[in-house]
Amino acid sequence: MKHFFLFTAILAFISIVSATGKTPCAKALECDTPSDNTLTVYGTAQKWETTDDKVFYLAPGFSKCQVNYTDQSNVVCVSPQYFLNDSLRDCNEWVQVYNPDTGIVSFGRILDECGAVPNSTFGCNDIYLSKKMFTELAGKNAAEALNSGHLTQVQWRKVVAPCWSAWAGLPGKFPNGTQDDAHGYDSNGFLRCGRRSGQNRVVGADVAQVCNKNIKSCDEANAIASKLPKYHGGSCDHQSKAVAYVAQTNQLT
Ligand SMILES: *[C@@H]1O[C@H](CO)[C@@H](O)[C@H](O)[C@H]1NC(C)=O
Ligand SMILES: *[C@@H]1O[C@H](CO)[C@@H](O)[C@H](O)[C@H]1NC(C)=O
Ligand SMILES: *[C@@H]1O[C@H](CO)[C@@H](O)[C@H](O)[C@H]1NC(C)=O
Ligand SMILES: *[C@@H]1O[C@H](CO)[C@@H](O)[C@H](O)[C@H]1NC(C)=O
């Protein structure tokens, strides 16, 4: 778990805990329930959650999922109750996050657990974010959000690893924790054609050429990819703004 939030964040967190007095961690509830799987118009995803704790950003470091992440990684931190039944099952599951204040959508992997403190109000519906996702979702309000240390409220759900993440070669599991070879449609309706590696990765704005609603077969996607510049380094975590992932929850279910 993460201990080292910003000092102001810690103070705010303590005051929230004492102000609300909720004790959702008193009982060890398992956050994952099999019935959470729902169908979107395109494929499988889990139900939307709405945070009720403030959404703080994380100091990077060594995570519950045994990886070191940085301020540039796309990381979602969830309740320890997601890790109760099987300690690492939820690691590398993908989450879609929507900030209603800015209309911005961002994706990240579950790589850490948060809120494992006595009498925490951090529930199954709450998340904290890496600095990269946090600033991305804050959009034009980033300076203000970084200053306060938190976003007000976000909506999020576990999704099938997005098309762009497969082309970037990032790991991923299905929302039910099983292995995902990154074929078939993502939860937003973009056809995925396997997880790339090495120079075959496609990142940045180029991703929009292989992740769009006109792509109906992987032969088509691979032909387009073969004409794109080879990958020569740079962040694989950077999601392309050019890929039009839907933002509003009511468009999705
Ligand atoms: C994580 O970083 C620490 C400190 O730099 C290092 O000792 C450790 O080996 C790293 N662990 C992994 C799994 O990369
Ligand atoms: C907990 O894990 C066991 C074995 O892996 C599985 O059979 C059971 O369905 C899991 N329970 C939940 C609530 O996911
Ligand atoms: C947690 O809540 C219990 C019951 O309300 C209380 O007795 C205890 O002092 C609280 N612990 C902390 C660390 O606030
Ligand atoms: C997990 O989810 C995937 C994708 O929706 C599905 O194909 C698979 O059958 C599921 N596995 C289990 C054990 O529920």
Side-chain angles (χ1 to χ4, degrees):
M1 67 165 277
K2 285 279 152 301
H3 296 285
F4 29 88
F5 302 111
L6 293 179
F7 183 61
T8 51
I10 294 170
L11 288 181
F13 186 70
I14 290 167
S15 63
I16 293 164
V17 170
S18 52
T20 65
K22 283 192 291 173
T23 56
C25 283
K27 271 181 278 176
L29 294 171
E30 162 79 25
C31 285
D32 281 319
T33 55
S35 62
D36 284 344
N37 283 305
T38 54
L39 292 181
T40 69
V41 284
Y42 306 112
T44 306
Q46 291 195 342
K47 66 179 164 55
W48 285 93
E49 302 283 356
T50 303
T51 58
D52 57 6
D53 271 19
K54 289 174 177 171
V55 182
F56 291 106
Y57 70 92
L58 300 161
F62 188 65
S63 80
K64 166 80 176 176
C65 295
Q66 328 274 295
V67 296
N68 287 312
Y69 61 90
T70 70
D71 280 341
Q72 281 72 49
S73 312
N74 284 354
V75 177
V76 172
C77 193
V78 295
S79 163
Q81 294 167 72
Y82 280 97
F83 299 93
L84 279 183
N85 197 35
D86 175 338
S87 68
L88 298 180
R89 191 193 76 163
D90 285 33
C91 296
N92 285 318
E93 289 177 353
W94 280 84
V95 167
Q96 178 174 11
V97 187
Y98 171 61
N99 181 3
D101 283 347
T102 58
I104 295 173
V105 172
S106 182
F107 294 85
R109 279 179 290 152
I110 293 177
L111 285 182
D112 218 344
E113 65 176 9
C114 284
V117 294
N119 297 353
S120 173
T121 59
F122 193 89
C124 295
N125 58 317
D126 286 310
I127 53 175
Y128 291 157
L129 301 164
S130 59
K131 194 173 182 183
K132 172 135 192 310
M133 282 190 84
F134 182 92
T135 50
E136 202 164 82
L137 286 160
K140 61 177 171 26
N141 307 332
E144 187 191 331
L146 287 168
N147 191 43
S148 72
H150 64 83
L151 302 173
T152 309
Q153 186 168 68
V154 299
Q155 292 163 8
W156 63 279
R157 62 174 186 169
K158 290 188 186 181
V159 289
V160 171
C163 183
W164 70 264
S165 75
W167 285 96
L170 296 171
K173 284 182 190 163
F174 282 120
N176 60 16
T178 62
Q179 289 307 319
D180 172 10
D181 65 2
H183 284 93
Y185 287 89
D186 72 16
S187 302
N188 285 260
F190 296 95
L191 185 64
R192 308 175 309 156
C193 298
R195 198 166 277 114
R196 300 302 152 120
S197 61
Q199 287 205 319
N200 293 324
R201 280 177 281 195
V202 177
V203 300
D206 287 342
V207 169
Q209 298 194 46
V210 286
C211 292
N212 66 68
K213 298 283 169 70
N214 296 325
I215 302 283
K216 299 296 180 209
S217 77
C218 286
D219 284 348
E220 204 180 322
N222 291 335
I224 293 166
S226 69
K227 299 196 186 86
L228 293 173
K230 290 284 176 204
Y231 173 75
H232 285 300
S235 174
C236 289
D237 262 351
H238 187 70
Q239 80 179 73
S240 174
K241 297 282 180 295
V243 181
Y245 283 100
V246 276
Q248 309 255 316
T249 57
N250 60 12
Q251 285 176 255
L252 295 169
T253 47

